[in-house]
Amino acid sequence: MKKLLLLGDEAIAQGAIDAGISGVYAYPGTPSTEITEYIQASAEARERDVKSKWSTNEKTAMETAIGMSYAGKKSLVCMKHVGLNVAADAFINSAITGANGGLVVLSADDPSMHSSQNEQDSRFYGRFAYVPILEPSNQQEAYDMARYAFVLSEKYGVPVLLRITTRLAHSRSGVLRTESATENELKLPSDLRQFVLLPYIARKQYNTLLAKQDALEEDAITSGFNKYIEGNDKSLGIIACGIAYNYLIENYEDGKVPYPVLKIGQYPVPKKMLQKLYDSVDEILVLEEGYPILEELLRGYLNLGKKIKGRMEGSVPRAGELNPNIVAKALGMGVAEGFDPANVVKGRPPKLCDGCGHWDSFAALNEAMKSYSPGRVLSDIGCYTLSALPPLQAINSCVDMGASITMAIGASEAGLIPAVAAIGDSTFTHSGITGLLDAVNRKASITVLINDNATTGMTGGQDSAAYGKVEDICRGVGVEEEHIRIIKPLRRLHDENVQVLKEELEYKGVSVVIARRECVQTLARRMKLKAIEKKKAAAKA
Amino acid sequence: MKKDIILAGVGGQGILTIATIIGVAALSEGLQLKQSEVHGMSQRGGDVQSHLRISSKSIASDLIPEGKADMIISVEPMESLRYVNMLDKGNGWLVSSMNPFNNISDYPDLEEILHEIWKLPHYVTIDADKIAKEQGSVKAANIVVLGAASPYLGIQYESFTDAIKSVFSKKGEDIVKLNLKALRAGRQYAEKRT
Ligand SMILES: Cc1ncc(C[n+]2csc(CCOP(=O)(O)OP(=O)(O)O)c2C)c(N)n1
Ligand code: SF4
């Protein structure tokens, strides 16, 4: 078979297709988005009718996948790392129910926060839930592990966490496919109460999960994804997890490391392998792309044993992603230096696209807020978060998806009246609706500005679950009809829009202003497609 | 054979197209490759970069080590300088378009930027927009830059032309022709210089 040139994300998608999934459930989020997009575009997946429509948020995605697993089929769930916080309740409990059909959860971490609010390490969640974790070091392993994850999940009846980080997700390399597995038939669990987590059943199930741990650890020895590589120089032993292994061998001619190396790709990490390394070397260096999880476990709280080097000890920087030079320095090797950075180079931060409706929306808001003291706009996550930067400097918060509305309630109850919540349409349906219901029930004095650009802009323009439904949702939640206002964010309508916003800011209750204009990027793409369709139709006629 | 290349530019300028063409050309010569891209946040008019590594041996890291890049290929002059810390001081080449993309308030003087580039031991600066226009469209400026970089990439010229034919084939004969001309013009400019 010919090698495919795939992103890490795409390798996982192809692996899951070849593993015989019947559905992928996901909410977009960098760097995980391309997995679902690849499956959506795959002719093979379409032919098999693999379900791949975007979910409203990560929790609904996770739960839908648990449902598919309950019904006996294989499913993949994809999200960025912070998405796992949203899905955590379902995720942790899925470890207790166990899996019937193969259930694999992919979480893409973003160390160095290239496009995220934090750099949390999903491996913590895997440990927390007592489920196996697979962490590929390259694109081929990403493919192989996506396939193996389903085998593992069905063999032990547990969900499996597949963890990648930005650099693998968004890096391309050759991948060799292996023979495809088939999809499962519909088949309910033999015990129809397996998924009923009433306390007495949950206790039993939890013990079942705990009883599997030794076997899961043993599997991490036999699967071949953890490797003990001998080395002659025993003054140091190295543990390299996931892509840290690449950065390690990059520093040696032909990849030959003089020290013993434990390459980690599957957790729980086998104690036997750790013990062997620990006993044969003087010191250990732990290289992890993420938090110092293994390092902390090895050190123990009091660090009474052999010297364990890493992020906690200081040989590796405490925060941020790794690279070949960081690893070289941790090994005490010299590193090459390039030219000194030139002073003429200025920062070029990302900004809202020219012609984006968010410009006009926030320009109007800024003017409407002029008569109030500053610091009243609680915002959310999306392209519109860029309005925090000059020249708009329009917002005062961005915490987690949906937090704009609920934070505005809290601030208003502390006396900040009016308080404004600024949110996008996709974020609104992701996690804003429940907050709006709170606002209505509590009769909060807030104005919610919903920037409805008919898409999920920030992550590249995926379909928004809110499409065509925003005002109906607001009505349904109980916002008064006369305080649901719709404006079109355009420069020529600036004065009108300011007026509408001013009126609603003065209202002592819940008001919603929907600023509706399609994202110019999505619009351009749609027009291009339309033109192509037209051409095709004309050619046919 | 090993070439580590940093591709630089501003979101939307087509650096990934350059990466794809070099990638296809390298694969056709049986070389291995890793290419890391920037997605997400940084694409909205911000600076973007891609690490492209090609080699006859297997490649470990997705990222190029600092000070080891054989080449910086940039479609924007200020952006080319953002990554000089990555360039191999002895043998590294910097190939950049001379056409600024000015979307920030404190964009420096072009003279100053070029002055910095011209201090480097190995460089090509090229008026890619003008040359691309002469070939038919300014849209092919990125391929002009690729043409100017092509003599130093250790890949046969025919592999690039074949790659352009396959990458642009879906867009029609005219686009293929335009880009082939752009590649040739960029190449000739670089060869005349050195
Ligand atoms: C829990 C979680 N999931 C996903 C993301 C990634 N993400 C950030 S903003 C965004 C979408 C924003 O869409 P919308 O609210 O419609 O605003 P737009 O970008 O279109 O302006 C997504 C998916 C995230 N930060 N957190
Ligand atoms: S992608 Fe769309 S929503 Fe985002 S900044 Fe550009 S135009 Fe605005």
Side-chain angles (χ1 to χ4, degrees), chain A residues 114 345-351, chain B residues 7-13 15 37-50 74 76 78-80 82-83 101 103-104:
Chain A
H114 297 282
V345 179
K346 299 289 184 283
R348 198 190 298 260
K351 52 179 175 183
Chain B
L7 297 158
V10 178
Q13 279 193 307
I15 69 162
E37 312 177 347
V38 185
H39 293 212
M41 197 73 177
S42 34
Q43 287 187 315
R44 263 158 219 68
D47 53 276
V48 294
Q49 58 160 321
S50 168
S74 179
E76 208 281 345
M78 185 180 81
E79 292 308 322
S80 75
R82 196 180 296 283
Y83 309 103
F101 186 97
N103 66 344
I104 52 173

Side-chain angles (χ1 to χ4, degrees), chain A residues 351-353 356-358 383 453 455 457-458 519-522, chain B residues 44:
Chain A
K351 52 179 175 183
L352 294 171
C353 302
C356 173
H358 296 332
C383 285
N453 58 3
T455 194
M458 183 90 249
C519 158
V520 293
Q521 298 291 352
T522 318
Chain B
R44 263 158 219 68

Side-chain angles (χ1 to χ4, degrees), chain A residues 114-436:
Chain A
H114 297 282
S115 35
S116 305
Q117 313 104 287
N118 71 34
E119 58 174 31
Q120 67 184 61
D121 189 323
S122 296
R123 294 176 303 162
F124 264 110
Y125 271 111
R127 269 176 64 74
F128 191 14
Y130 292 117
V131 300
I133 308 166
L134 295 170
E135 186 186 15
S137 67
N138 60 39
Q139 292 75 0
Q140 184 65 53
E141 265 186 3
Y143 175 85
D144 295 339
M145 285 185 178
R147 298 216 45 174
Y148 187 66
F150 285 95
V151 176
L152 194 59
S153 173
E154 295 196 334
K155 183 168 173 195
Y156 296 99
V158 291
V160 172
L161 181 68
L162 188 51
R163 184 239 185 189
I164 56 170
T165 52
T166 304
R167 294 301 179 179
L168 178 60
H170 286 169
S171 172
R172 234 173 252 290
S173 192
V175 172
L176 211 52
R177 284 173 72 181
T178 44
E179 200 183 321
S180 293
T182 51
E183 289 186 41
N184 292 351
E185 297 295 325
L186 180 69
K187 184 172 177 290
L188 299 188
S190 54
D191 173 6
L192 283 180
R193 289 189 306 178
Q194 181 188 330
F195 285 70
V196 185
L197 295 184
L198 275 169
Y200 81 98
I201 301 174
R203 270 179 230 122
K204 195 177 105 254
Q205 292 281 102
Y206 182 49
N207 279 318
T208 310
L209 174 67
L210 294 177
K212 288 173 187 165
Q213 297 303 308
D214 286 348
L216 292 174
E217 207 178 296
E218 198 56 35
D219 195 285
I221 300 176
T222 54
S223 71
F225 290 127
N226 292 332
K227 286 193 194 87
Y228 192 101
I229 305 150
E230 286 294 354
N232 290 332
D233 186 346
K234 305 283 198 287
S235 62
L236 183 73
I238 301 170
I239 301 176
C241 305
I243 65 168
Y245 179 72
N246 304 345
Y247 300 143
L248 171 65
I249 61 173
E250 177 72 32
N251 282 297
Y252 293 96
E253 195 63 38
D254 290 323
K256 288 200 184 65
V257 185
Y259 313 108
V261 175
L262 184 55
K263 175 184 188 292
I264 298 295
Q266 183 174 348
Y267 308 73
V269 175
K271 278 182 242 33
K272 274 186 217 161
M273 293 180 112
L274 285 176
Q275 190 73 53
K276 182 176 169 195
L277 187 73
Y278 192 88
D279 290 345
S280 10
V281 300
D282 300 339
E283 298 178 350
I284 287 181
L285 170 67
V286 189
L287 300 170
E288 301 174 84
E289 181 78 315
Y291 286 10
I293 297 181
L294 210 52
E295 183 187 349
E296 190 167 14
L297 285 173
L298 270 178
R299 285 166 72 93
Y301 214 71
L302 299 177
N303 192 19
L304 300 174
K306 284 182 181 170
K307 183 165 188 187
I308 308 293
K309 303 203 280 188
R311 290 189 189 271
M312 301 181 76
E313 168 268 349
S315 292
V316 180
R318 190 64 180 79
E321 64 181 351
L322 301 174
N323 63 39
N325 278 16
I326 287 175
V327 171
K329 283 178 193 154
L331 288 161
M333 300 168 94
V335 293
E337 273 174 24
F339 295 94
D340 291 335
N343 284 331
V344 292
V345 179
K346 299 289 184 283
R348 198 190 298 260
K351 52 179 175 183
L352 294 171
C353 302
D354 288 338
C356 173
H358 296 332
W359 284 114
D360 305 297
S361 179
F362 285 93
L365 182 65
N366 272 351
E367 185 160 346
M369 301 288 291
K370 259 190 189 151
S371 53
Y372 303 100
S373 61
R376 292 166 182 273
V377 183
L378 291 310
S379 183
D380 232 297
I381 310 184
C383 285
Y384 50 92
T385 313
L386 295 171
S387 69
L389 307 175
L392 283 167
Q393 295 180 284
I395 63 167
N396 309 105
S397 76
C398 158
V399 179
D400 65 275
M401 291 190 77
S404 59
I405 300 180
T406 28
M407 280 180 70
I409 301 172
S412 76
E413 292 192 353
L416 190 74
I417 293 175
V420 175
I423 191 168
D425 53 322
S426 180
T427 305
F428 178 60
T429 43
H430 178 287
S431 289
I433 303 173
T434 44
L436 187 61

